[in-house]
């Protein structure tokens, strides 16, 4: 007897239209309420939070509502003498926040506000002899950091600063029998890690190493009866996987393997009709993280109300065209 499928039920009165302006208001207000408990308690991921919010606003066509000068000055203040960026002023530098910083500054065409050469040095110094990357000086290894490194350097046009052959071999060593990828060699496949590894291979022009049909099958099996996607078997659906799974399927040319209409219905059901914003599942609390990935997921599904998002870097395509950055994807 098989185990029951873990899923959610979408309420009959759940929203079915995109509440675009409410989401823009939610993000704009979120950044303005700096004395709120929630805002203060998320200082440890501030730069990433700013990237989620600013990218959402850009995809919604309302980036001009945010204070460009204030944003750029804050990002610059997070850079350390070593070139890396902390999550906030005074926080230790880490690759995760280096990428968020570069993405934010690229949105605003403001990379000249920071020391790019030192940043490139920071990223390259984190590469290890086996090709992997530490996230920071404390030595954690994870394929997320491999993606952050090459994404950061790609946006800076400095990929030659690292050993790409060794970096690629490490990522490929994390490929599993099911076509997916884990955080390290031998770790189980997970949608988030798959996005990072497939994204890494896309950035470095190595997508031909992916078994697109095998991986595409694993990814499309993440869709549940509700239409939502989960990160791995036996888990509940979550709006953020509308990005990690969908973007991966887009990169390998298998986006048509899932039921787009059911996924769209699930994503829209996770909106808050009063405050704006998206939650992980219908009826839960909304936040900027799920709001970005809900909007980005709808963009990948073809929503015309928002800008086209790049499936590799989760940034507006028009921003990447401005800096002449193009990444080849696999065809269907």
């Amino acid at each position: 007897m098989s185990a029951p499928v873990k899923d959610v039920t979408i309420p009959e009165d759940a929203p079915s239209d995109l509440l675009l302006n409410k989401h823009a208001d939610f993000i704009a207000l979120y950044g303005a309420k700096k004395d709120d408990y929630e805002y203060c308690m998320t200082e440890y991921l501030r730069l990433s939070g700013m990237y989620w919010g600013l990218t959402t606003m850009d995809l919604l066509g309302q980036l001009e509502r945010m204070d460009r000068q204030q944003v750029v000055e804050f990002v610059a203040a997070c850079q350390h003498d070593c070139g890396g960026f902390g999550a906030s002023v005074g926080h230790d530098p880490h690759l995760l926040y280096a990428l968020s910083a570069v993405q934010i500054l690229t949105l605003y065409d403001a990379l000249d506000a920071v020391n790019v050469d030192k940043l490139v040095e920071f990223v390259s110094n984190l590469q290890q002899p086996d090709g992997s990357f530490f996230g920071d000086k404390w030595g954690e290894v994870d394929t997320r950091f491999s993606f952050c490194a090459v994404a950061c350097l790609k946006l800076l046009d400095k990929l030659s600063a690292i050993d790409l052959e060794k970096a690629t071999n490490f990522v490929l060593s994390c490929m599993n029998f099911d076509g997916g990828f884990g955080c390290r060699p031998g770790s189980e496949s997970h949608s988030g890690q798959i996005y990072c590894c497939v994204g890494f291979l896309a950035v470095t022009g190595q997508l031909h190493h992916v078994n697109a049909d095998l991986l595409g099958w694993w990814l499309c099996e993440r869709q549940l009866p509700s239409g939502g996607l989960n990160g791995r078997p036996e888990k509940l659906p979550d709006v953020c996987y509308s990005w990690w799974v969908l973007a991966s399927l887009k990169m390998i040319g298998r986006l048509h393997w899932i039921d787009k209409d059911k996924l769209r219905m699930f994503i829209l059901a996770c909106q808050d009709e009063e405050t704006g914003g998206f939650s992980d599942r219908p009826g839960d609390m909304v936040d900027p993280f799920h709001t970005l990935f809900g909007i980005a997921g709808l963009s990948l599904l073809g929503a015309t109300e928002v800008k086209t998002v790049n499936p590799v870097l989760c940034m507006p395509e028009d921003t990447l065209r401005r800096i002449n950055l193009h990444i080849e994807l696999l065809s269907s």
Side-chain angles (χ1 to χ4, degrees):
M1 183 175 182
S2 62
V5 175
K6 293 182 179 179
D7 200 2
V8 298
T9 301
I10 297 178
E12 291 185 5
D13 60 349
S16 56
D17 296 313
L18 179 60
L19 310 173
L20 189 148
N21 288 323
K22 279 189 174 291
H23 301 317
D25 290 343
F26 168 72
I27 294 296
L29 185 61
Y30 196 92
K33 298 188 295 184
K34 293 182 171 55
D35 291 331
D36 274 14
Y37 175 79
E38 185 177 353
Y39 184 90
C40 295
M41 291 302 293
T42 54
E43 182 181 78
Y44 70 96
L45 48 70
R46 180 72 67 234
L47 270 188
S48 290
M50 291 173 65
Y51 155 70
W52 301 328
L54 293 167
T55 303
T56 299
M57 293 298 275
D58 202 347
L59 289 173
L60 296 177
Q62 299 193 35
L63 184 60
E64 73 282 351
R65 292 179 60 179
M66 313 306 281
D67 189 325
R68 180 187 188 277
Q69 181 178 349
Q70 186 180 65
V71 169
V72 172
E73 288 178 353
F74 180 83
V75 174
C78 292
Q79 187 171 32
H80 288 249
D81 291 340
C82 66
F85 288 81
S88 189
V89 178
H91 287 236
D92 289 347
H94 196 287
L95 256 181
L96 292 172
Y97 306 114
L99 177 56
S100 293
V102 170
Q103 289 171 309
I104 292 168
L105 295 175
T106 301
L107 287 178
Y108 280 119
D109 194 19
L111 283 167
D112 57 351
V114 299
N115 189 330
V116 170
D117 291 338
K118 291 296 292 184
L119 173 55
V120 172
E121 182 181 329
F122 170 77
V123 174
S124 62
N125 284 343
L126 289 171
Q127 187 172 28
Q128 303 307 300
D130 66 351
S132 66
F133 284 84
F134 286 171
D136 57 18
K137 65 180 181 180
W138 302 112
E140 180 186 7
V141 170
D142 191 308
T143 46
R144 289 179 301 153
F145 309 148
S146 295
F147 172 73
C148 288
V150 298
C152 203
L153 295 175
K154 182 71 171 179
L155 287 166
L156 299 174
D157 195 22
K158 299 288 185 180
L159 270 179
S160 60
I162 59 172
D163 189 325
L164 282 175
E165 183 178 358
K166 283 187 175 182
T168 301
N169 287 338
F170 173 76
V171 168
L172 292 176
S173 74
C174 299
M175 186 187 293
N176 293 319
F177 70 92
D178 54 17
F181 295 82
C183 59
R184 287 180 294 276
S187 297
E188 71 168 316
S189 296
H190 185 282
S191 299
Q193 305 298 149
I194 288 170
Y195 165 79
C196 290
C197 292
V198 174
F200 173 99
L201 296 172
V203 168
T204 57
Q206 302 291 324
L207 274 176
H208 59 277
H209 289 294
V210 174
N211 185 329
D213 284 346
L214 183 61
L215 176 57
W217 180 254
W218 190 94
L219 288 168
C220 74
E221 282 194 323
R222 305 280 60 76
Q223 190 163 35
L224 297 166
S226 66
L229 299 165
N230 62 18
R232 52 196 170 116
E234 300 301 317
K235 297 295 182 180
L236 289 170
D238 188 318
V239 157
C240 70
Y241 292 112
S242 304
W243 175 255
W244 311 121
V245 175
L246 268 193
S248 300
L249 286 168
K250 177 70 174 179
M251 285 187 269
I252 63 173
R254 301 296 185 273
L255 189 61
H256 58 292
W257 282 14
I258 63 160
D259 189 325
K260 295 181 181 179
D261 290 336
K262 289 189 73 173
L263 177 57
R264 185 180 294 107
M265 182 177 69
F266 174 83
I267 296 173
L268 292 173
C270 295
Q271 301 174 102
D272 189 311
E273 293 179 286
E274 294 183 12
T275 66
F278 287 77
S279 59
D280 57 351
R281 287 176 278 278
D284 288 352
M285 289 289 292
V286 298
D287 59 72
F289 175 84
H290 289 95
T291 299
L292 168 60
F293 295 125
I295 294 294
L298 290 172
S299 176
L300 286 178
L301 290 171
T304 58
E305 307 98 313
V306 300
K307 289 184 179 182
T308 302
V309 69
N310 180 272
V312 182
L313 297 171
C314 196
M315 297 175 65
E317 284 283 11
D318 60 2
T319 296
L320 301 182
R321 284 196 297 270
R322 170 168 50 79
I323 63 173
N324 297 314
L325 192 157
H326 177 72
I327 299 173
E328 290 289 338
L329 309 178
L330 295 183
S331 58
S332 57

